[in-house]
Amino acid sequence: MIKAVIFDLDGVIVSTDEYHYQAWKQISDAEGIPFDREANERLRGVSRMESLELILEKASKRYTEEQKLALAERKNVIYRELLNRLSKTDILPGVMKLITALQERHVLTAIGSSSKNTPVILNKIGLENVFDAVVDGNDIKNSKPDPEVFLLAAERLRISPEDCIVVEDAEAGIAAARAAGMKTVGVGAAAGLSGLTVAALSLEGVSVQKII
Ligand code: B16
Ligand code: MG
């Protein structure tokens, strides 16, 4: 029986994935590294430093650890600047309706995100006090596809992993949920993956009855 729903943040609650793309694109262009939207798909759900490593696979020179840290920091400054534009109106369609329906049925909700900017984003979109638990990139050592973020969310909610379902837009996130022993809702970019409990292009098409 589903007792908790754990939502990924970027690409599920809000389209900050577009801002990640724009920020990495600026860095890649400045460094002369090929990077396009297709390459960006591999970065969904993956930590900042691991995203950079994936981008640098196409670089023609080698970067020192210090240079990599500086690039990641530059990207984050650009990304944070873009985040300033966020407001409540950026919450993706269907999200608030689903959260309200879950709360009415006393199903717990949590955020399980790889992003260290999660507190800033939740604050910007006015959802900082909505979830029963928030676990993000600041709380974990291993990024998705490792199950750590979702297992920690279940622990904080005091719910067994098998009673949790994860809503994700990333292949790495779906793999993490499976590794945690949780059910899966694949939305957007993840809707085409096989073996999902529920698949939908957006949460607008997902009723609470489908999930719990
Ligand atoms: P930050 P999610 C992930 O968020 C993004 O999908 C991924 O593109 C990003 O690299 C990662 O957060 C780290 O973000 O640089 O803000 O710490 O999908 O797990 O909510
Ligand atoms: Mg995501």
Side-chain angles (χ1 to χ4, degrees), residues 30-192:
E31 295 295 312
I33 303 168
F35 182 69
D36 57 16
R37 288 186 182 274
E38 199 188 326
N40 186 57
E41 286 303 305
R42 291 175 71 205
L43 314 185
R44 283 184 189 276
V46 175
S47 74
R48 196 179 310 158
M49 288 310 288
E50 285 166 308
S51 296
L52 177 62
E53 291 293 349
L54 290 171
I55 290 169
L56 294 184
E57 283 176 6
K58 292 264 162 60
S60 49
K61 70 168 202 184
R62 288 183 74 86
Y63 288 79
T64 64
E65 280 312 305
E66 209 181 344
Q67 288 170 326
K68 286 179 190 173
L69 286 171
L71 282 180
E73 179 54 27
R74 263 169 59 201
K75 181 266 178 177
N76 197 47
V77 169
I78 298 167
Y79 179 63
R80 288 287 283 255
E81 190 62 36
L82 293 168
L83 288 182
N84 275 328
R85 301 178 185 170
L86 280 181
S87 74
K88 269 184 181 14
T89 59
D90 292 295
I91 298 172
L92 287 169
V95 169
M96 290 320 294
K97 193 174 161 207
L98 182 58
I99 291 173
T100 306
L102 291 167
Q103 288 172 340
E104 282 169 3
R105 286 160 180 79
H106 306 291
V107 176
L108 298 180
T109 61
I111 289 288
S113 170
S114 300
S115 176
K116 293 186 171 169
N117 291 299
T118 294
V120 178
I121 296 168
L122 289 179
N123 187 270
K124 279 273 176 198
I125 60 176
L127 296 187
E128 68 272 50
N129 294 318
V130 167
F131 298 94
D132 298 294
V134 174
V135 181
D136 64 35
N138 301 293
D139 301 308
I140 53 167
K141 282 201 190 74
N142 307 296
S143 179
K144 302 164 187 175
D146 190 282
E148 186 179 354
V149 69
F150 296 135
L151 289 173
L152 185 56
E155 194 183 313
R156 289 193 182 163
L157 294 170
R158 297 171 194 271
I159 302 287
S160 303
E162 64 266 27
D163 295 329
C164 296
I165 190 163
V166 168
V167 187
E168 259 290 351
D169 71 314
E171 196 168 353
I174 293 292
R178 284 206 183 111
M182 298 177 181
K183 298 191 176 59
T184 51
V185 182
V187 294

